[in-house]
Amino acid sequence: MAFVFGVDTCGVLNDRKISIRSRINRAKKRDVKMGGTAAGVPGTSEYSRNMRARLDELSCCENSAMDELWEDMQDEGILAANDEPLLASFLFATILNQKTFIDALAFHLANKLSGPSMPNTLLLQLIKEVMEDGEVKHAVRMDLLAIMERDPACTRFIDPFLYYKGFHALQGYRVAHALWNQNRRPLAYFLQSQISKELQVDIHPNAKIGAGTFIDHATGVVIGETAVLGDNVSLLHQVTLGGSGLRDGDRHPKIGDGVLIGAGATLVGDINIGEGTQVGAGSMVYSDIPSHVTAVGVPARIVGKPRTQQPAKEMNQDISGDAKAPAAEIR
C-alpha cells in the first residue's frame, strides 16, 4: 500500500473503481461509435489525435458534452496518479475528488488566487456561483478545447487545466468580468490584482473576451478596459492591447474572430483588427487592419494573406508561405 502526503494512492484508484484497463475498455467502447479508432493512452500522440478528432463533439450539447469532457479528464487524472505517485495527493484533491468540471476549476482557481484578505473557501464559493452561468460555462469549456486544438504540446486535457497559466488567467478574468457586470467592482479589481500578481497577466475586468480564446505562454499579456476580442482568438506572450490618450470611452483595440496575434505585438488605441487577420510577432499596430490579411513590422504593414480563414486555429507564425501582397503601410 502506497501513501503519498497522507493519501493512500492505491486506495484512490480502488475507491474510484476505475483501473487503467477499465479506462481503456471504456474508451474503446466509446470509439466504436466513432468508427472503431483506438483512443490510446492519455499523454500519447495517438490519444491527443483522438481527442482533437472529438473536439466538435465536445463543443456541442452543453451538459452532456461537459460531462463527457469531465469523464475524460478524470480518466486522465487516474492514469497520471498511477504514473507519478508523488502527484497523487494533488491530483486527488484537484481532479479525482471533485464531482464536476466546474467544482474542480473553482477549487483550483481559489487555491491559486486566494490570499490573506480573501480565504480560498470564500473565493471557491464565489467562483462556483459565477461559473454555473450557462454563457460562462460554455466559454470556459471552449477555452480548454481551444488549447487541445491549437497547442501541439498539449496531449491531454488535464495539463492545461492544471498547469497552463494562460488558461487560469483567462478563467479568473471571466469571474472578474461577471462581477464587474454585477456592479461588484471592488471585488472584480481584487481578482484582477491577484491574477496579475500570481500569473503575470493583466486583464481589465471590463474587457470583453469571446469563447475559444487561447493565451499561449501568457507572461506579460495586457488587455485594457475597453478592449474587445471576438471568438477563437489566439494571443502569445507579451501581447499588449493598450489604450491611447486620456479620454473616456473606447480607447483600446477591437479584435475580430479567428485573429492570431504573435508574441510581443503591441496594438494601441480604438482600432479595429478584422476577422481572420494575422499580426506578426513584435509588430506595432496603431491603425485599423482589414480582414484576412497578414500585417507585420514597426509600424505594421500588410505583407500578404494568411493561408487559412482563421489563422488563430492554425497557430502557424511562419508567414513565408502566405499569399504575397505589395507591402503597404496601414492607414
Side-chain angles (χ1 to χ4, degrees):
M1 184 173 293
F3 288 87
V4 180
F5 300 118
V7 174
D8 172 5
T9 59
C10 295
V12 169
L13 301 181
N14 291 333
D15 289 345
R16 302 298 300 188
K17 296 181 180 179
I18 302 177
S19 65
I20 297 176
R21 179 56 55 192
S22 65
R23 184 269 174 270
I24 294 173
N25 287 340
R26 187 168 67 203
K28 286 181 177 178
K29 288 179 181 178
R30 183 179 60 218
D31 292 334
V32 167
K33 299 177 182 179
M34 300 169 54
T37 59
V41 177
T44 65
S45 57
E46 182 184 10
Y47 178 83
S48 59
R49 283 195 299 269
N50 180 273
M51 290 298 105
R52 291 186 178 101
R54 295 179 55 220
L55 291 178
D56 287 342
E57 170 193 337
L58 293 173
S59 66
C60 63
C61 306
E62 295 289 331
N63 292 327
S64 61
M66 180 64 82
D67 290 343
E68 191 164 341
L69 174 59
W70 179 235
E71 184 179 275
D72 288 334
M73 290 175 63
Q74 287 210 312
D75 291 343
E76 293 172 2
I78 290 164
L79 290 177
N82 182 78
D83 291 341
E84 183 46 80
L86 288 176
L87 288 177
S89 177
F90 169 66
L91 292 165
F92 179 79
T94 52
I95 300 291
L96 303 179
N97 196 41
Q98 304 298 326
K99 292 183 178 180
T100 68
F101 178 96
I102 294 302
D103 286 344
L105 183 56
F107 177 86
H108 197 39
L109 285 180
N111 285 330
K112 282 187 169 293
L113 301 178
S114 61
S117 56
M118 179 64 68
N120 59 2
T121 51
L122 293 178
L123 195 53
L124 170 64
Q125 189 58 40
L126 177 69
I127 295 171
K128 285 178 65 174
E129 289 174 1
V130 168
M131 289 193 167
E132 286 299 337
D133 175 82
E135 185 175 343
V136 176
K137 189 183 292 186
H138 170 76
V140 169
R141 187 180 71 257
M142 296 304 293
D143 294 342
L144 185 62
L145 296 179
I147 300 172
M148 176 63 81
E149 177 185 41
R150 302 173 208 171
D151 186 357
C154 177
T155 57
R156 56 188 180 185
F157 290 114
I158 62 168
D159 290 340
F161 184 89
L162 294 174
Y163 308 124
Y164 284 25
K165 69 178 181 180
F167 178 74
H168 301 151
L170 186 56
Q171 306 326 313
Y173 147 79
R174 295 200 185 282
V175 176
H177 181 67
L179 294 171
W180 184 272
N181 290 337
Q182 295 170 12
N183 208 31
R184 303 176 72 180
R185 297 188 175 182
L187 195 49
Y189 277 132
F190 169 81
L191 278 180
Q192 179 192 6
S193 176
Q194 289 297 101
I195 294 164
S196 179
K197 181 176 74 171
E198 299 297 332
L199 303 172
Q200 297 81 51
V201 177
D202 193 1
I203 306 176
H204 194 284
N206 188 55
K208 297 176 177 61
I209 300 178
T213 299
F214 177 32
I215 305 179
D216 197 10
H217 303 293
T219 299
V221 166
V222 177
I223 299 177
E225 180 186 10
T226 61
V228 177
L229 284 74
D231 293 333
N232 299 315
V233 170
S234 292
L235 315 174
L236 279 88
H237 50 288
Q238 300 290 343
V239 164
T240 296
L241 305 181
S244 179
L246 299 177
R247 64 184 177 84
D248 293 334
D250 283 345
R251 60 191 186 279
H252 296 90
K254 312 299 184 288
I255 311 299
D257 295 346
V259 170
L260 171 61
I261 304 178
T266 299
L267 293 74
V268 294
D270 183 20
I271 59 176
N272 292 289
I273 309 302
E275 66 177 24
T277 281
Q278 179 168 346
V279 178
S283 297
M284 176 72 184
V285 183
Y286 51 82
S287 301
D288 292 350
I289 302 179
S291 299
H292 304 294
V293 299
T294 299
V296 299
V298 181
R301 300 167 67 88
I302 297 172
V303 297
K305 296 182 178 181
R307 283 166 276 192
T308 62
Q309 290 296 301
Q310 291 198 322
K313 291 190 173 185
E314 296 296 326
M315 297 296 290
N316 190 338
Q317 297 174 73
D318 177 9
I319 65 170
S320 61
D322 288 3
K324 294 294 187 284
E329 186 170 352
I330 301 166
R331 300 185 183 279

